[in-house]
Amino acid sequence: MVVHAYGAPRLIEDADAIEAMLVRLTVREEAGADQPWTMQSVDKKFLAGMRRGIAAFEIPITRLQGKWKLSQNRQHVDRQAVIAALRALCGQDADALADLMAEAVTKKPPQ
């Protein structure tokens, strides 16, 4: 399963906009950490130097294209082997994909 997003990237050069993006990104990515890193905890001069190396951009999405292929064209024994291999990975994403594969043969892909 995959979604391709299409659009023309646009460079963001406004320092305040870049800082706001970095703060949002940091808060989201550090949310699960025992001791989350914050931009406020870093020396301002160091942070300003690092920020000069960041090319911030956004991509307004003009088109989305989805693909749904979960081995539903394969033999039952092949699908079961893939599902078992995914379950052996013991990860939440692998388990979710295995569940979708198990259901794929009885359902049509989402529209």
Side-chain angles (χ1 to χ4, degrees), residues 48-67:
M50 295 299 289
R51 199 176 301 126
R52 283 193 296 275
I54 295 172
F57 64 93
E58 63 184 359
I59 302 176
I61 297 172
T62 58
R63 182 170 62 109
L64 291 173
Q65 179 184 31
K67 299 280 184 183

Side-chain angles (χ1 to χ4, degrees), residues 62-77:
T62 58
R63 182 170 62 109
L64 291 173
Q65 179 184 31
K67 299 280 184 183
W68 173 278
K69 186 171 183 296
L70 298 172
S71 297
Q72 63 267 43
N73 62 324
R74 306 290 302 200
Q75 295 293 322
H76 178 78
V77 67

Side-chain angles (χ1 to χ4, degrees), residues 14-37:
D14 179 70
D16 291 337
I18 294 170
E19 175 125 4
M21 290 174 76
L22 291 172
V23 168
R24 286 192 309 271
L25 176 66
T26 302
V27 167
R28 185 184 75 212
E29 295 301 319
E30 293 290 324
D34 291 336
Q35 297 179 332
W37 183 88

Side-chain angles (χ1 to χ4, degrees), residues 19 22-23 26 37-44 47 51:
E19 175 125 4
L22 291 172
V23 168
T26 302
W37 183 88
T38 65
M39 289 180 52
Q40 293 79 12
S41 66
V42 178
D43 176 69
K44 299 293 182 201
L47 195 55
R51 199 176 301 126

